[in-house]
Amino acid sequence: MKYISTRGQAPELTFEEAMLTGLARDGGLYVPAEIPTFSADEIAALSGLSYEEVAFRVMRPFVGDSFSDEEFRAIIARAYEGFGHVARAPLKQLDTNHFLLELFHGPTLAFKDFAMQLIGQLFEVALKRRGETVTIVGATSGDTGSAAMEAFAGLEAVNVFIMYPHGRVSEVQRRQMTTPTANNVHALAVDGDFDDCQARLKDMFNDFEFRDGVKLAGVNSINFARVLAQVVYYFTAAASLGAPLRKVSFTVPTGNFGDIFAGFIAKQMGLPIDQLVVATNQNDILHRCLSGNGYHKGDTIPSISPSMDIQVSSNFERALFYAYDQDGAAVAQLMDELKNGGFEVSQGAMEFLSATFASGRASEEETLATIKSEYADSGELLCPHGAVGVKVANEHRKSDVPMITLATAHPAKFPAAVEKASDVHPPLPSRMSDLYERSERLTRISNDLGALEDHIRKTIAQ
Ligand SMILES: *Cc1c(COP(=O)(O)O)cnc(C)c1O
């Protein structure tokens, strides 16, 4: 299996190379040259299997020769053993034909753990075999950072630096990044917003001297291995609700378009998905674009669902690549226009996007009201991201197709908003109940490429 760049100008890589590289050298994102497909029989055979076995079968064709079957099974087993639920991604019923896919039973209580725990194990095996070390730098709107630090803490071949927007993540999110004690993981509080952090990360990747000097690797959702890990739970959820005999729909609270893009891959692989619904908060650039209004950056407005406070949705580039018939030059041109504020989507590409994705948005008031009403109706306490999803799912679901809404974080990760809406204080699971007592460690730093690169160089030289 070969991987190609969405901008068409970078070398083709194997799965392992693409995983270790992150961003392609032409600024694009790696995607598989061909998406493998599953027959109806192969999908039917998934029902009743463990999460780990489904993960092996779904991801195997993408991995190619990079890992042996035995290595890959062991990697998957280690990745998910620390989860707090044996089903890993259990489904809960909210209403007739409406289900919640709980993706928050991992070590940092958000769906990012599914990908990050897997990537940690994949990196460890690959780097040990190569006798190499790498520096992982990540930008986080809150949840990716802690998930990466948990996944890589204590590994010898990896140093991890996580940039997060200072003052713009929840206290639980911050503490999950500032309290790990392993000395190879570092939290950087950047004076800026998430888009600034993401832009500095791209700048580092485009600074080839720095990139090669520190052996920079990325684990943001631009890394295809992360998208791949997320494809698995679309299969487990659909299989347990009757796929391939019955179609299902998904609603996905979206920011960087990684999780919903995993659903797109699942659909391309043959999973019978009826609707793929993009749910945004008040930062609704994706909803506006999918409604035919072009992609035009505005200011990021901080919300109660901060992990979705995004204007430059990096994985959307992958969707555009397919919408533009895999024309790398066309994608490169759009991304150039985006630097100056935005772009219009061509008519043909828009037809593809509208046929593939539906979309909706939830305001702050609607999000709070949904937390309250869902708690009253089903007893389920939603985090604000999941609530955005449920609000939009309710606008799209049909009586004859099960709707599965992705619950991307545990309510205890966002206690202030949840309590405001429901009058219930969501407790942390017992395994992390001492989070507020642990001491914090972070470096506050300006939104400046030189300062960031200096700090990283100095720290790894120690
Ligand atoms: C990251 C995140 C999202 C957005 O996911 P994308 O893959 O970036 O679209 C939604 N909810 C939570 C809780 C997250 O951490």
Side-chain angles (χ1 to χ4, degrees):
M1 169 75 71
K2 283 287 178 191
Y3 286 78
I4 56 174
S5 165
T6 49
R7 300 194 193 173
Q9 296 294 322
E12 289 189 4
L13 301 180
T14 65
F15 174 79
E16 179 174 316
E17 290 164 344
M19 171 184 89
L20 293 174
T21 302
L23 195 69
R25 288 183 101 88
D26 60 2
L29 278 61
Y30 277 104
V31 290
E34 268 166 56
I35 298 175
T37 55
F38 278 41
S39 67
D41 284 347
E42 285 171 308
I43 294 169
L46 300 177
S47 90
L49 300 180
S50 69
Y51 187 87
E52 283 80 354
E53 181 60 27
V54 176
F56 177 79
R57 294 190 189 187
V58 168
M59 295 191 287
R60 188 78 197 94
F62 290 89
V63 168
D65 302 329
S66 295
F67 298 91
S68 71
D69 283 2
E70 203 186 344
E71 263 176 340
F72 195 45
R73 277 187 199 281
I75 283 167
I76 292 169
R78 283 198 298 276
Y80 299 118
E81 70 189 2
F83 277 50
H85 196 299
V86 283
R88 309 314 182 208
L91 275 177
K92 273 232 183 113
Q93 187 157 10
L94 293 181
D95 195 351
T96 313
N97 261 343
H98 191 189
F99 298 83
L100 198 64
L101 182 58
E102 292 187 347
L103 301 175
F104 51 68
H105 295 284
T108 67
L109 308 181
F111 82 91
K112 305 288 196 302
D113 289 322
F114 278 89
M116 212 58 85
Q117 287 291 323
L118 184 82
I119 274 222
Q121 299 301 326
L122 288 167
F123 265 64
E124 184 178 45
V125 172
L127 290 170
K128 271 194 181 155
R129 186 166 49 212
R130 291 163 165 244
E132 287 175 11
T133 61
V134 296
T135 303
I136 286 172
V137 183
T140 188
S141 56
D143 297 319
T144 306
S146 55
M149 292 167 87
E150 279 288 336
F152 287 92
L155 300 187
E156 273 172 20
V158 183
N159 279 294
V160 178
F161 295 84
I162 297 298
M163 300 183 278
Y164 69 88
H166 176 70
R168 297 214 190 184
V169 299
S170 83
E171 181 171 4
V172 175
Q173 288 178 317
R174 189 193 72 235
R175 285 182 174 274
Q176 284 184 331
M177 289 187 279
T178 58
T179 59
T181 52
N183 56 18
N184 68 325
V185 296
H186 312 275
L188 304 178
V190 175
D191 287 311
D193 61 23
F194 172 65
D195 288 314
D196 293 324
C197 296
Q198 193 160 254
R200 294 300 78 72
L201 180 65
K202 282 209 164 186
D203 292 344
M204 285 181 209
F205 272 99
N206 287 323
D207 177 350
F208 291 152
E209 197 189 328
F210 176 78
R211 178 175 179 167
D212 296 337
V214 303
K215 298 224 171 59
L216 191 62
V219 293
N220 258 65
S221 56
I222 53 175
N223 197 308
F224 187 78
R226 274 192 54 188
V227 174
L228 179 59
Q230 294 166 195
V231 174
V232 175
Y233 46 70
Y234 286 88
F235 276 85
T236 58
S240 51
L241 291 179
L245 296 179
R246 199 157 66 138
K247 281 193 172 193
V248 295
S249 291
F250 289 92
T251 300
V252 187
T254 307
N256 240 338
F257 215 81
D259 216 2
I260 184 89
F261 185 76
F264 169 78
I265 296 276
K267 187 170 182 175
Q268 299 300 110
M269 290 171 73
L271 195 65
I273 296 177
D274 184 33
Q275 301 182 85
L276 271 177
V277 185
V278 169
T280 73
N281 66 21
Q282 60 191 2
N283 295 293
D284 59 355
I285 185 165
L286 287 165
H287 171 53
R288 282 185 281 123
C289 179
L290 293 169
S291 308
N293 299 313
Y295 193 98
H296 300 283
K297 283 191 279 187
D299 290 328
T300 308
I301 312 163
S303 79
I304 54 172
S305 45
S307 306
M308 296 154 51
D309 289 348
I310 282 169
Q311 294 292 328
V312 181
S313 179
S314 46
N315 273 292
F316 193 52
E317 176 167 346
R318 289 190 161 111
L320 290 169
F321 180 67
Y322 292 98
Y324 279 83
D325 246 345
Q326 313 202 20
D327 179 349
V331 173
Q333 156 119 39
L334 296 179
M335 294 301 124
D336 252 3
E337 290 174 32
L338 183 58
K339 283 189 199 140
N340 302 321
F343 55 83
E344 298 300 328
V345 180
S346 75
Q347 197 187 335
M350 204 55 232
E351 276 166 20
F352 177 94
L353 291 174
S354 310
T356 312
F357 301 104
S359 68
R361 84 187 293 264
S363 68
E364 298 288 273
E365 297 71 36
E366 289 164 336
T367 306
L368 290 167
T370 303
I371 295 174
K372 184 178 171 147
S373 60
E374 195 55 56
Y375 186 61
D377 293 347
S378 69
E380 203 60 41
L381 207 48
L382 298 168
C383 102
H385 308 78
V388 167
V390 166
K391 188 264 178 186
V392 173
N394 281 332
E395 292 165 350
H396 286 83
R397 63 198 179 92
K398 307 171 183 170
S399 59
D400 56 341
V401 182
M403 174 62 84
I404 300 163
T405 299
L406 274 54
T408 49
H410 192 286
K413 236 177 154 166
F414 304 93
V418 173
E419 193 164 353
K420 183 176 172 198
S422 66
D423 284 330
V424 180
H425 184 80
L428 282 168
S430 54
R431 61 201 151 102
M432 38 193 94
S433 55
D434 67 339
L435 186 66
Y436 287 88
E437 278 105 68
R438 300 180 200 162
S439 62
E440 295 191 71
R441 186 169 57 96
L442 64 95
T443 303
R444 183 143 172 211
I445 193 158
S446 60
N447 171 27
D448 176 79
L449 182 64
L452 285 158
E453 290 185 345
D454 279 351
H455 176 78
I456 291 169
R457 277 201 199 93
K458 277 194 200 125
T459 308
I460 59 175
Q462 275 166 12

